[in-house]
Each structure stands twice: as C-alpha cells, then as structure tokens.
Amino acid sequence: MLPLFQDVELKTDTKALLELCQDIIQDIEEYLKPERSAPIDYETDFLWISALFRILLKRKEYSERALKVSLAAIQNNPADYSCWDFRRQILRRSQQMSLLQQELEICNELGLQNPKNYQIWFHRRFLCTFLENPQEELEFTETILLEDAKNYHAWSHRQWVVYRFQLLGEEAFSKKFLEMDFRNNSAWNYRYFVIFLSMKTAVISLELRQSEAYYAWEILQRSFMNESAWYYLWQVVDNEWHLFPSITQAVQNLLEEQKHNRLVRITWFNILMNKGELSEAQAICNQLKTELDTFHQSFWNEQLMIQSPK
C-alpha cells in the first residue's frame, strides 16, 4: 500500500499542496511509479509535486490551486515547458489583471535566477500582450544585460518589445552598450534592428545610412580587427560604396598599413566589385583565398569563377 503523504518525509510546502488537493490524491500512486528503464533518483518532493501536477494537467483543471501546484513544479524545474504552458492556459481563461501582474513578478524573480531560460522569456511575451507594459520590459532587459551584456534572450526580447510597441529612441541604448564593449555583436545587431528594421512605416534615407556608416567607421578607428563593426558597416552600405566616397577613400588609405587584415581586404574587394574593377578584385580574391582567409577558400573560389569571363 502507498503510505499516506502525511507519513512521508516531505517539505512543509509540499505537504500543504497535497492537503489542498486531497480530493484527487487517490490518483497519485500511478504517477509515483519509477521508470521501468534507467530510473532517475529524484528527490521525494520533486516526485510528489510532479505527480500532483500531472494529475491536474490530465484533469484539465484550470484553477487557483493548479497555479500553486504548477509554480511549485516550475521552482523544481524552471525549464518544464508543460508547466509554463498550463499556466498560460489558466491565465488566458481568467485574464484577471491582478493574476497577470503577480505572474510577472514570478517571472522577474525566476528570470533573475535563470536569465537564459527559454520558457521564462517566452512566458514574459505572453504576459506583455495582456499587460502592455513595455517600460517594465525595457527595464528588466537592461537589468539582465548589465549582468551579461551578450545575453541573447534579453536582446531578442527587447527587440520584440520595441517592434510590438513601435518604440523610438533605442539608438542610445545600443550606443551605451557599444561604449562598454565596441565588439559586442549583440549590441551592433540590436542597433541595426532599431534603426533600420523596427519601424513598420520607416523610410530609410541616404542621410541616415551615411550617418550610421560614419558611426561604424568612427568605432573602427579603435580597432580595425573589430569584425562586428565591419559587418555593420557592410550591411549599412549594402554594396553601394559609390554613395560613401569618404569611407571608400579611407579604406584605400588603409591597404598598406593593414596589409594583413583580412577584413580590410574583404572591404576593398567589395569596393572594387562595386566599381567594376574586376582584374584588381581578382587579385584581392586570390590573396584572400591563399593567405588571409583560407578558412573560406571555397567561397573565394566561387567568387573567382563568377568574375572569370564565360
């Protein structure tokens, strides 16, 4: 016979949840059976909470006690997608603002403890669609990024918030993080997004592109080996180097000083192709293929084939 849970060594909080669910406790035995192959030695509380959650899930009980049990299960395993999804089903049915705000506070606490947890970040998006609280989300992502400036989840969530609420003025935020680390590819990517992609009705002027190209070039003065800044510059220019004559000239002036810098040579190759100077472009291409960028040799071979006369 399965012992009564009162006789099992469990934490007080676990016992309180079992007391709350006494009307369904008779179904718990089948969920406590160990796996037939490769059983895992879970803690007793983990097993009982998980079993209780699975009962509520099977019964499709969208109740306040289901929220309490699923939260306990999440605290045991914050990556449990089923628990998070079940909570969304409950909250979607209720749509009580007080519950949604409490849920955000739970997400704040768990998010600070687990800043790279996919489920928590996805859950925040769900809550944000109801709470419409972009400022809170911006503040939370900044808190996370000040701890880890390359947290992909935080940058991605911030992009989502900016796009959903069509927020302006985020260039300063990207600049702040680029001043902290001018090689931070996440900050460069975010900057490109907020300036060129986030506004649904934005018109991208040449003046804006030139301004951003000069900004990237200014950052490159600190290190011409900054791959992230070069990629940003290439994306902004978009192979229209004739529209950026001063930067084109500056790159040419670097050729001797930076003769072993593959990024400078790649840029010059793109400029030559834009000018239609194919013979010199082929020479740069061969240098990249054989000396400076051998890792991408197949790509440069392909470029040589494209340039060769038919």
Side-chain angles (χ1 to χ4, degrees), residues 3-10 15 19 22:
L4 294 173
F5 70 84
Q6 288 91 344
D7 301 326
V8 180
E9 188 174 337
L10 295 168
K15 286 192 174 185
E19 290 278 3
Q22 281 201 75

Side-chain angles (χ1 to χ4, degrees), residues 120-130 137 153 156-157 160 164:
I120 296 175
W121 286 107
F122 184 78
H123 201 64
R124 289 192 76 92
R125 291 192 186 188
F126 164 79
L127 295 173
C128 192
T129 59
F130 288 97
E137 296 306 300
H153 305 274
S156 179
H157 184 71
W160 179 84
R164 180 176 179 84

